[in-house]
């Protein structure tokens, strides 16, 4: 099992570059950051944790742009995976976003993973022209169009949300197939979507109790779609527990992800030191 870090970025506390460099120095394999372009003040969408329009953390209002954040991290690291948990591709122009991600993969030496979400905040999506009831269709088209731009010499796409004629676009990603993970609730619908259009699953923060059962559903969907191998599974963990990690790994979890506190750099570095010891990395 690999161990990774997720930094809920904000305009205060440790910077993404400092956090990624420190995580790499301590032996962590991956560094994830989230995305929200903005949070509409008046919303109808309920947050999946609170169940209403209230937010569990004010960092939702303060998140940094994930690709700029990962670019700064790429400049000061050499090995650590640079990923999102999760980005919201449908809140961007897909041609421009494909260029941004390909450029980061090119400049980082092939270290980028796109962790994407459908978007629980349908009010936020609406401001970007994406109807809430069409967000899965939109994401499917965005991913297909970006993959065309990443892999084809002359790429084109003709869909409802994305449409462009034969085009050239370089650089291509270093990775022949840039990994795409989907962060979503562990449902049969979500797992069918992952098996058809992605390479793995990022769990939500409230999957712990039913995670083992849900992993079985994911693997059933994976096989039903004729996919070979096994999906990558990135599980958000809390307090490190060796027994739980062993159960997860036996059931198919490939990565355990640990959140960093929203504190000053010195405090975060001390936390990383303690976490690395608990995980046997130090």
């Amino acid at each position: 099992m690999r161990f990774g870090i997720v930094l809920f970025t904000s305009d205060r506390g440790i910077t993404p570059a400092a956090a990624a460099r420190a995580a790499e120095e301590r032996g962590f394999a991956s560094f994830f950051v989230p995305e929200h372009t903005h949070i509409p003040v008046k919303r109808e969408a309920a947050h999946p944790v609170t169940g209403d329009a209230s937010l569990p953390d004010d960092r939702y209002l303060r998140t940094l742009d994930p690709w700029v954040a990962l670019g700064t991290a790429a400049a000061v690291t050499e090995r650590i995976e640079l990923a999102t948990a999760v980005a919201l591709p449908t809140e961007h122009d897909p041609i421009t976003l494909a260029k941004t991600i390909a450029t980061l993969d090119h400049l980082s030496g092939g270290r980028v993973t796109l962790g994407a979400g459908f978007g629980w905040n349908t009010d936020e999506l609406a401001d970007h022209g994406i109807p809430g009831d069409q967000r899965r269709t939109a994401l499917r088209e965005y991913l297909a169009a970006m993959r065309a731009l990443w892999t084809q010499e002359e790429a084109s796409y003709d869909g409802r949300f994305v449409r462009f004629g034969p085009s050239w676009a370089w650089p291509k990603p270093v990775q022949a197939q840039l990994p795409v993970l989907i962060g979503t609730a562990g449902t049969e619908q979500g797992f069918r979507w992952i098996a058809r259009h992605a390479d793995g699953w990022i769990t939500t923060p409230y999957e712990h109790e039913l995670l083992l059962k849900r992993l079985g559903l994911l693997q059933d969907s994976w096989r039903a779609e004729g996919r070979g191998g096994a999906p990558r599974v990135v599980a958000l963990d809390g307090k490190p527990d060796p027994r739980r990690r062993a159960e997860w790994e036996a059931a198919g979890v490939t990565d355990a992800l640990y959140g960093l506190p929203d504190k000053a750099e010195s405090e975060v570095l001390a936390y990383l030191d303690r976490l690395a010891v608990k995980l046997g990395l130090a």
Side-chain angles (χ1 to χ4, degrees), residues 11-279:
D11 55 353
R12 62 196 177 201
I14 194 168
T15 66
R21 181 175 59 236
E24 181 175 89
E25 290 171 349
R26 288 156 178 78
F28 289 92
S30 56
F31 179 70
F32 286 73
V33 296
E35 176 173 35
H36 282 284
T37 57
H38 68 301
I39 300 293
V41 173
K42 185 177 181 180
R43 301 184 314 282
E44 295 183 3
H47 189 278
V49 171
T50 65
D52 56 32
S54 63
L55 298 171
D57 194 311
D58 74 343
R59 284 178 291 180
Y60 282 89
L61 320 178
R62 316 181 75 97
T63 52
L64 306 182
D65 178 277
W67 305 109
V68 174
L70 291 177
T72 67
V76 298
T77 57
E78 297 179 352
R79 301 175 304 280
I80 200 164
E81 176 186 10
L82 306 168
T84 48
V86 293
L88 299 166
T90 57
E91 298 188 350
H92 299 266
D93 175 89
I95 300 172
T96 304
L97 182 59
K99 171 75 76 173
T100 297
I101 295 173
T103 299
L104 181 59
D105 199 64
H106 170 73
L107 293 177
S108 68
R111 292 191 278 143
V112 175
T113 292
L114 171 58
F118 301 118
W120 63 266
N121 193 338
T122 52
D123 304 277
E124 181 181 351
L125 293 172
D127 286 346
H128 290 280
I130 302 297
D133 62 352
Q134 293 294 309
R135 60 191 186 274
R136 288 174 177 78
T137 299
L139 182 59
R140 173 178 55 78
E141 290 192 6
Y142 272 56
L143 292 177
M146 290 194 295
R147 283 174 173 140
L149 290 162
W150 291 336
T151 61
Q152 298 172 16
E153 184 167 340
E154 291 188 5
S156 61
Y157 193 83
D158 185 13
R160 176 180 174 186
F161 293 96
V162 186
R163 182 176 295 117
F164 55 88
S167 304
W168 295 314
W170 273 269
K172 304 299 184 187
V174 172
Q175 301 174 88
Q177 180 176 322
L178 193 143
V180 175
L181 310 176
I182 300 298
T184 187
T187 65
E188 290 188 34
Q189 179 189 29
F191 290 154
R192 284 196 301 270
W193 204 101
I194 289 170
R196 291 170 182 170
H197 308 295
D199 305 300
W201 178 40
I202 302 173
T203 70
T204 62
Y206 39 89
E207 303 280 352
H208 276 207
E209 296 300 322
L210 297 175
L211 181 56
L212 297 181
K213 179 179 180 180
R214 288 174 175 172
L215 286 171
L217 291 175
L218 172 61
Q219 291 156 359
D220 289 345
S221 296
W222 196 259
R223 289 189 293 268
E225 292 297 325
R227 299 287 298 268
R232 183 176 173 187
V233 178
V234 178
L236 301 180
D237 200 4
K239 184 178 180 180
D241 182 327
R243 179 179 296 179
R244 181 174 63 236
R245 289 200 310 273
E247 290 178 345
W248 284 4
E249 186 170 17
V253 173
T254 57
D255 303 72
L257 202 58
Y258 296 89
L260 294 183
D262 186 25
K263 295 183 178 180
E265 181 172 335
S266 61
E267 295 179 84
V268 174
L269 297 184
Y271 172 83
L272 276 172
D273 286 337
R274 295 191 299 271
L275 181 60
V277 170
K278 291 177 181 179
L279 295 173

